[in-house]
RNA sequence: GCGGACAUAGUGUAGUGGUUAGCACGCAAGCUUCCCAAGCUUGCUACCCGGGUUCGAAUCCCGGUGUCCGCACCA
C-alpha cells in the first residue's frame, strides 16, 4: 500500500489527520480520530499483554511526561541531544556551526559545546554560505527537546521527555519496593515522547509528539535466568554488524541457540529477541520475510548501548526497511547516571544477599510507526478479477453445533452479485480491529430495532459493536471492510422467525448462519490478543 | 535546517487574468421487502493564510504555513 492511499483512507475514515488542520497544520503533529485511537489503544493493549506478560515481575506504570532539568542533565540529553545553530546577521540564513567548520577542513568538531564552537567560529570567521557576508551570529544551542518554563517564577527549567525510558529509571527505586525486591524487574511505559525534529517527515515516522511503548528490564548481570531452551530452535533473521562490515545486505536465519553459542550474544538478550520476533510475526502478523534484526555497529549505536539490534520491517509505502522497535542492552549507564545525578544509591541487595547495580535491557516499540505498518502491510486492494478465483468452492468452515441446521442455505459466496470495482479491506487481526462486529439490518425498516437489540447483547459480552443503518448492505460491508471490522452480523427475515443470523468474515467474505445466542461465545475468544507462552489461541480459524 | 516541486469540496482532480469554479467518487435525506460500493429523486461541501500588482487574481509577484522528493539530522 502506498503512502498517498493510506493517508487518504486515514483522513476519510477518521483514523488520523494533521493537527491544527484549519490553521494550515503544524508539522510533525497528528490528531487521531475515533477509528485511529481505537486501533492505537488495541495495539497498545496487545503490546502490554505480550511484553508485560513475559514475567509476573514486569509492571506497567505511567510516569509524568515532563521532567525537571536535572533529569535530562543526568541522562545526557541536555548535552548530547543538541546542535549549535548559527544565523547570518546579514541575510538570516541558518546553518549548523559544526557543519560550517567541517566544511573549512576542521576535524573533531563533533560533540563540542556551543561555546567551543563559537570560539572556533570567531577564529575562522567563515562567510555565510548564501550571501557570502562574514556576519555569523554566536552559536545558539538548538536542542531537540522542548524546553518549558516551569513554575510561577519561570526560573525552573523542565522539558517534555524526549523518551519514555527516563520515567522508568526514575521510578526504579520506588518500583524495587513495589515489586517486592526481585530481579529481574521490568518497568513498562506506554506514553508520549516529544522531540523538536528538524524535518518531520513521512507522516507517522518522524513526529514531534509520538507514542513509545517500552519495557526497561533491570537485572543482575551475573544472574539473569531465562528459559532459552524453550525457544532455542526459533529462527531469527539477523544482519550482524560484522557481516555488514563485509558487505552483507541480506539477513541470514540463525537459530536462537546458535546466536548464543556461536554468535556470542548473551542468552537473556536472544531470549528477548525471540519474543520480539514472535510479537511482530504472530501477534501483529507482519510477514516474516519482511522482518529483520539489524545489528548496529559501534559507530551507529549510542555509546552506552553494549548490544543494539533494531527490529526492522520492510514497508512498501516507504520503500525500505524501517525501524519499528529495538532491543538495547544499556548496561548500568542509566542507573549510574541517575544515581550520581540524584545522589541516591540505586544499587539493590538481591535475595542472595548480593549488592548489585542492575543492568538494563530495553525493549522499545514505536506505537505510531507500527500503526502505520499495520496499514502498509494489512490494507489489501482486490480487483474483481483477482478476487474471482477464490469465491466459488470455498466451503464454509465446519459448522459448529450452534449453526441453525434447518434454515435455508445462507447466501454463500456463489450467490454474490458481480462486483463493481476494487475492494479495499484492512486485514487486521481481529483483536486489533477498531470495531469488532458490525450488526447490519438487511432492510432498515424491518430489522433495525432487532439489530439494535442484538448489538446491545454483544456489547454486554464485551465486544465493540456498531450498527450501520444507511446505504445498501453491500456498501455497509465495504465501509466496514475498509476500517478492518472483522465480523459482520446481518439481520434478515429469518432472524425474526428463528433467531438465526448471517455471520460474515471480512477477509474471505465467507458467510454462515449462526444462532444469535451463540454469537458471544463464538466471537469473544477471537478478539482476545495473544499472550506469550500460551500456545497459539490466535490461530483459531476464522469464523 | 538547506535545495527543488507542489497546495482547488470529505477524497481524487479540471480549470494560464473576467467561469453561476467543472467532473468523479463520497456524504446526507427520500423511494426501493431480503446479502456485497445497484438504481432513481433531492441536497451538501472547495480555490492554504497574509500582503502586493491589476478595473478585475484560483490564475501573476512577495512573505508565511503545510506536503512531497533529495541532502543533512535521527545522543
Amino acid at each position: 500500500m502506498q503512502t498517498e492511499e493510506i493517508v487518504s483512507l486515514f483522513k476519510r475514515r477518521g483514523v488520523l489527520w494533521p493537527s491544527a488542520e484549519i490553521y494550515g497544520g503544524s508539522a510533525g503533529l497528528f490528531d487521531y480520530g475515533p477509528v485511529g485511537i481505537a486501533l492505537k489503544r488495541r495495539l497498545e493493549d496487545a503490546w502490554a499483554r505480550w511484553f508485560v506478560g513475559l514475567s509476573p515481575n514486569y509492571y506497567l506504570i505511567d510516569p509524568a511526561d515532563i521532567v525537571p532539568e536535572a533529569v535530562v542533565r543526568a541522562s545526557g540529553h541536555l548535552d548530547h541531544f543538541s546542535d549549535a545553530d548559527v544565523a547570518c546577521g546579514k541575510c538570516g540564513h541558518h546553518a549548523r556551526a559544526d557543519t560550517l567548520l567541517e566544511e573549512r577542513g576542521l576535524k573533531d568538531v563533533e560533540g563540542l559545546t556551543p561555546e567551543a564552537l563559537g570560539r572556533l567560529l570567531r577564529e575562522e570567521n567563515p562567510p555565510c554560505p548564501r550571501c557570502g557576508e562574514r556576519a555569523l551570529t554566536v552559536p545558539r544551542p538548538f536542542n531537540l527537546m522542548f524546553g518549558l518554563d516551569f513554575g510561577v517564577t519561570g526560573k525552573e527549567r523542565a522539558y517534555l521527555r524526549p523518551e519514555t525510558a527516563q520515567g522508568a529509571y526514575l521510578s526504579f527505586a520506588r518500583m524495587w519496593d513495589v515489586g517486592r525486591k526481585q530481579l529481574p524487574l521490568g518497568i513498562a511505559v506506554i506514553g508520549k515522547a516529544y522531540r523538536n525534529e528538524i524535518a518531520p517527515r513521512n507522516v507517522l515516522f518522524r513526529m514531534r509528539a509520538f507514542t513509545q511503548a517500552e519495557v526497561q528490564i533491570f537485572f543482575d548481570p551475573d544472574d539473569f535466568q531465562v528459559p532459552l531452551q524453550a525457544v532455542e530452535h526459533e529462527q531469527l533473521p539477523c544482519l550482524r554488524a560484522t557481516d555488514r562490515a563485509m558487505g552483507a545486505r541480506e539477513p541470514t536465519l540463525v537459530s536462537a541457540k546458535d546466536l548464543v553459542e556461536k554468535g556470542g550474544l548473551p542468552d537473556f538478550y536472544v531470549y528477548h529477541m525471540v519474543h520480539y520476533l514472535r510479537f511482530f510475526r504472530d501477534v501483529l502478523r507482519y510477514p516474516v520475510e519482511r522482518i529483520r534484526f539489524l545489528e548496529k555497529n559501534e559507530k551507529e549505536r549510542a555509546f552506552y548501548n553494549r548490544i543494539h539490534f533494531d527490529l526492522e520491517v520492510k514497508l512498501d509505502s516507504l520503500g525500505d526497511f524501517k525501524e519499528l522497535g529495538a532491543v538495547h542492552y544499556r548496561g548500568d549507564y542509566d542507573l549510574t547516571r541517575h544515581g550520581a545525578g540524584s545522589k541516591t544509591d540505586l544499587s539493590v541487595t538481591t535475595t542472595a544477599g548480593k549488592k548489585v547495580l542492575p543492568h538494563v535491557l530495553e525493549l522499545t516499540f514505536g506505537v505510531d510507526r507500527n500503526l502505520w505498518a499495520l496499514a502498509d502491510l494489512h490494507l489489501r486492494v482486490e480487483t474483481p478479477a483477482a478476487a474471482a478465483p477464490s469465491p466459488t468452492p470455498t466451503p464454509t468452515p465446519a459448522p459448529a453445533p450452534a449453526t441453525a441446521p434447518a434454515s435455508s442455505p445462507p447466501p454463500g459466496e456463489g450467490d454474490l452479485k458481480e462486483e463493481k470495482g476494487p475492494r479495499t479491506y484492512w486485514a487486521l487481526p481481529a483483536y486489533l480491529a477498531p470495531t469488532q462486529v458490525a450488526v447490519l439490518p438487511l432492510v432498515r425498516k424491518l430489522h433495525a430495532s432487532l439489530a439494535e437489540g442484538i448489538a446491545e447483547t454483544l456489547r454486554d459480552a464485551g465486544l465493540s459493536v456498531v450498527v450501520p443503518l444507511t446505504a445498501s448492505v453491500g456498501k455497509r460491508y465495504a465501509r466496514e471492510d475498509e476500517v478492518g471490522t472483522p465480523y459482520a452480523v446481518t439481520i434478515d427475515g429469518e432472524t425474526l422467525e428463528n433467531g438465526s443470523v448471517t455471520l460474515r468474515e471480512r477477509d474471505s467474505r465467507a458467510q454462515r448462519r449462526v444462532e444469535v445466542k451463540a454469537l458471544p461465545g463464538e466471537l469473544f475468544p477471537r478478539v482476545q490478543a495473544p499472550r506469550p507462552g500460551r500456545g497459539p489461541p490466535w490461530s483459531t480459524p476464522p469464523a
Side-chain angles (χ1 to χ4, degrees):
Chain A
M1 187 59 80
Q2 293 305 303
T3 297
E4 303 76 39
E5 299 173 278
I6 297 172
V7 168
S8 161
L9 186 142
F10 275 11
K11 286 185 189 171
R12 255 184 313 120
R13 295 297 186 205
V15 179
L16 63 88
W17 50 81
S19 209
E21 242 184 331
I22 60 169
Y23 284 97
S26 181
L29 300 178
F30 291 87
D31 295 350
Y32 281 93
V35 173
I37 193 61
L39 171 57
K40 182 163 177 267
R41 290 176 79 154
R42 292 203 197 284
L43 177 58
E44 290 168 0
D45 286 347
W47 178 89
R49 220 170 137 86
W50 188 263
F51 285 101
V52 181
L54 284 175
S55 157
N57 208 41
Y58 290 0
Y59 305 89
L60 183 66
I61 67 167
D62 185 22
D65 50 12
I66 293 175
V67 290
E69 186 167 67
V71 170
V72 289
R73 177 169 290 130
S75 70
H77 286 93
L78 207 51
D79 295 331
H80 294 286
F81 219 54
S82 61
D83 295 319
D85 176 76
V86 288
C88 172
K90 188 89 176 173
C91 73
H93 182 88
H94 282 261
R96 280 182 47 188
D98 53 356
T99 311
L100 286 177
L101 290 167
E102 272 169 8
E103 280 165 3
R104 295 182 67 80
L106 273 74
K107 291 200 164 43
D108 300 326
V109 291
E110 203 183 319
L112 292 180
T113 63
E115 292 74 31
L117 288 168
R119 277 195 299 277
L120 286 171
L121 274 177
R122 266 200 305 281
E123 290 166 19
E124 289 289 323
N125 197 20
C128 168
R130 186 158 74 184
C131 69
E133 203 72 26
R134 293 179 192 272
L136 295 176
T137 58
V138 176
R140 185 184 64 92
F142 169 80
N143 200 283
L144 255 37
M145 291 189 293
F146 291 102
L148 302 171
D149 293 331
F150 201 64
V152 182
T153 62
K155 285 178 187 161
E156 294 172 68
R157 285 297 284 171
Y159 295 84
L160 292 176
R161 63 182 176 198
E163 60 177 22
T164 55
Q166 296 307 319
Y169 307 141
L170 299 177
S171 299
F172 173 73
R174 172 70 58 193
M175 285 300 296
W176 174 248
D177 277 342
V178 172
R180 307 221 167 82
K181 307 186 196 305
Q182 300 293 317
L183 291 181
L185 169 66
I187 304 182
V189 178
I190 301 172
K192 286 273 168 82
Y194 307 85
R195 293 182 193 176
N196 195 7
E197 294 287 356
I198 295 165
R201 199 90 45 103
N202 291 331
V203 198
L204 298 183
F205 265 74
R206 198 182 298 168
M207 301 198 291
R208 287 186 164 140
F210 57 102
T211 304
Q212 294 186 305
E214 304 186 317
V215 206
Q216 311 294 325
I217 301 164
F218 299 85
F219 62 95
D220 178 349
D222 299 323
D223 182 26
F224 190 176
Q225 309 282 339
V226 291
L228 185 75
Q229 55 294 345
V231 303
E232 68 183 7
H233 296 297
E234 191 76 72
Q235 300 281 316
L236 296 115
C238 289
L239 187 48
R240 299 295 304 260
T242 46
D243 296 335
R244 289 172 61 210
M246 296 194 301
R249 306 290 300 269
E250 298 295 325
T252 47
L253 282 174
V254 192
S255 73
K257 187 179 181 168
D258 283 349
L259 270 180
V260 173
E261 291 177 2
K262 298 176 188 162
L265 294 174
D267 58 355
F268 69 80
Y269 192 92
V270 174
Y271 176 77
H272 286 89
M273 286 174 82
V274 168
H275 281 290
Y276 224 125
L277 174 70
R278 287 180 172 181
F279 182 70
F280 277 77
R281 184 193 61 195
D282 301 335
V283 182
L284 302 185
R285 296 195 190 149
Y286 296 162
V288 70
E289 65 275 8
R290 284 175 177 266
I291 301 174
R292 74 181 186 194
F293 283 101
L294 182 96
E295 184 177 17
K296 292 297 183 86
N297 64 36
E298 203 166 350
K299 207 169 168 145
E300 292 165 330
R301 66 183 187 238
F303 63 91
Y304 51 74
N305 272 336
R306 303 183 183 195
I307 309 172
H308 177 160
F309 280 83
D310 279 348
L311 196 145
E312 297 189 323
V313 177
K314 184 166 192 196
L315 299 178
D316 292 335
S317 58
L318 301 175
D320 202 359
F321 281 90
K322 291 291 169 184
E323 179 196 345
L324 297 183
V327 183
H328 301 143
Y329 178 21
R330 299 174 64 126
D332 61 2
Y333 174 79
D334 303 286
L335 291 189
T336 300
R337 298 284 297 200
H338 284 303
S342 64
K343 300 188 173 65
T344 306
D345 183 5
L346 293 175
S347 61
V348 298
T349 306
T350 66
T351 26
K354 179 185 158 202
K355 192 167 177 177
V356 58
L357 185 64
H359 283 205
V360 169
L361 180 68
E362 174 185 62
L363 311 181
T364 177
F365 177 83
V367 175
D368 315 274
R369 288 181 168 198
N370 277 279
L371 192 143
W372 181 266
L374 286 169
D376 181 290
L377 297 171
H378 291 318
L379 268 171
R380 311 269 157 76
V381 179
E382 254 174 29
T383 60
S390 64
T392 353
T394 311
T396 45
T403 307
S407 60
S408 62
E413 290 279 344
D415 298 313
L416 293 185
K417 287 179 191 161
E418 199 174 321
E419 287 196 55
K420 294 297 176 287
R423 172 174 98 103
T424 302
Y425 64 102
W426 198 350
L428 288 168
Y431 42 79
L432 294 179
T435 300
Q436 293 157 339
V437 187
V439 179
L440 312 182
L442 191 56
V443 178
R444 183 175 181 171
K445 278 184 188 164
L446 301 179
H447 312 125
S449 61
L450 185 53
E452 294 284 3
I454 290 170
E456 280 302 301
T457 309
L458 296 178
R459 288 187 186 115
D460 287 345
L463 293 156
S464 153
V465 184
V466 293
V467 184
L469 296 173
T470 64
S472 71
V473 72
K475 183 172 278 193
R476 282 177 280 160
Y477 284 142
R479 285 175 186 161
E480 294 304 323
D481 285 347
E482 215 173 29
V483 292
T485 307
Y487 304 110
V489 168
T490 310
I491 313 304
D492 58 18
E494 218 176 300
T495 315
L496 296 163
E497 291 165 23
N498 65 13
S500 71
V501 295
T502 306
L503 179 59
R504 171 191 185 268
E505 199 268 337
R506 176 196 61 210
D507 300 351
S508 65
R509 295 183 299 163
Q511 303 191 141
R512 64 193 167 97
R513 284 206 88 84
V514 175
E515 299 274 352
V516 169
K517 58 179 183 287
L519 279 174
E522 182 96 24
L523 297 179
F524 190 73
R526 298 175 194 279
V527 298
Q528 301 308 305
R531 284 190 286 139
R534 295 292 300 172
W538 58 89
S539 64
T540 319

